[in-house]
């Protein structure tokens, strides 16, 4: 069954520093990833698999593009889902994990900002199941390059130019400040509660 894009219209007017035009353009781009994920999955259900090839083959190319549409869809949902939190503040499992990993909240925010300044793509705060560490990760080049395996995304920040250029031009740090102010820490805490972080002493 085809996947339907989620509706994020409730964010319009709720995120200080992001205009209706900017958000609507971003929603449209996200919907495009959902459409392409549906198309790829539908074609993978019927495509000939008898002659896979590294240089070119219909099946091979669909498999190569599948993670782009998949991550493009779900990273955007993680991002929009963790926006709109004006008035919430970090606490609980997530805050404790950040203090343990970075030493202080300010050090975490400084690392997040530095990661955003380094990235042309996504900055994700991730929990690593393999090493039990929380770190900020840069995911660049088509949504899948740089993503660590065996991790849970706790915070997603879109720092592709399409996320902010209409409102901020080249002033990416100002956009990052707006997003940090608008993060929904209740949503983020809900993600942390379902990770092994919640079971730590
Ligand atoms: Fe985006």
């Amino acid at each position: 069954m085809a996947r339907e894009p989620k509706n994020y219209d409730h964010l319009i007017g709720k995120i200080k520093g992001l205009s209706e035009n900017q958000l609507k353009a971003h929603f449209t781009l996200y919907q495009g990833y959902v459409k392409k994920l549906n198309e790829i999955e539908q074609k993978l259900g019927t495509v000939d698999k008898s002659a896979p090839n590294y240089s070119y083959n219909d099946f091979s190319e669909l498999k190569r593009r599948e993670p782009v549409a998949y991550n493009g869809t779900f990273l955007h949902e993680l991002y929009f889902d963790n926006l709109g939190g004006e008035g919430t503040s970090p606490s609980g499992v997530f805050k404790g994990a950040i203090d343990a990993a970075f030493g202080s909240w300010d050090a975490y925010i400084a690392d997040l900002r530095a990661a955003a300044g380094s990235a042309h793509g996504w900055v994700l705060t991730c929990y690593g199941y393999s090493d039990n560490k929380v770190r900020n990760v840069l995911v660049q080049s088509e949504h899948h390059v740089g993503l660590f395996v065996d991790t849970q995304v706790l915070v997603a920040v879109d720092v592709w130019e399409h996320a902010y250029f209409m409102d901020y031009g080249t002033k990416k740090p100002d956009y990052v400040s707006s997003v940090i102010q608008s993060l929904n820490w209740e949503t983020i805490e809900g993600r942390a509660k379902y990770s092994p972080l919640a079971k730590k002493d």
Side-chain angles (χ1 to χ4, degrees), residues 52 143 185:
H143 310 292
W185 299 109

Side-chain angles (χ1 to χ4, degrees), residues 3-4 13 39 43 47 60 143 147 190 195:
R3 183 175 287 103
E4 290 292 326
E39 180 181 340
K43 288 183 176 176
V47 69
S60 303
H143 310 292
L147 188 62
S195 78

Side-chain angles (χ1 to χ4, degrees), residues 61-126:
E61 192 61 13
L62 285 165
K63 290 304 288 180
R64 283 192 284 265
R65 305 307 297 174
E66 187 180 19
V68 178
Y70 183 97
N71 286 10
T73 292
F74 294 113
L75 284 172
H76 277 102
E77 292 188 0
L78 287 163
Y79 169 67
F80 292 131
D81 284 343
N82 70 200
L83 290 182
E86 194 174 2
T88 64
S89 56
S91 62
V93 172
F94 182 75
K95 178 73 161 45
I98 290 302
D99 288 343
F102 293 91
S104 70
W105 186 256
D106 287 347
Y108 164 65
I109 294 298
D111 191 86
L112 191 69
R113 286 183 183 281
S118 307
H120 177 72
W122 294 92
V123 175
L124 310 174
T125 304
C126 294

Side-chain angles (χ1 to χ4, degrees), residues 127-144:
Y127 168 75
Y129 288 94
S130 297
D131 63 1
N132 290 316
K133 287 186 178 178
V134 175
R135 56 169 62 81
N136 288 317
V137 173
L138 310 186
V139 178
Q140 304 184 92
S141 182
E142 304 192 307
H143 310 292
H144 63 308

Side-chain angles (χ1 to χ4, degrees), residues 26 29 76 122 158 160 162-163:
H26 206 171
L29 186 141
H76 277 102
W122 294 92
D158 190 337
W160 289 82
H162 66 246

Side-chain angles (χ1 to χ4, degrees), residues 183-198:
L183 286 173
N184 189 327
W185 299 109
E186 290 178 5
T187 297
I188 292 161
E189 176 66 9
R191 294 170 182 165
K193 279 183 176 175
Y194 286 99
S195 78
L197 290 167

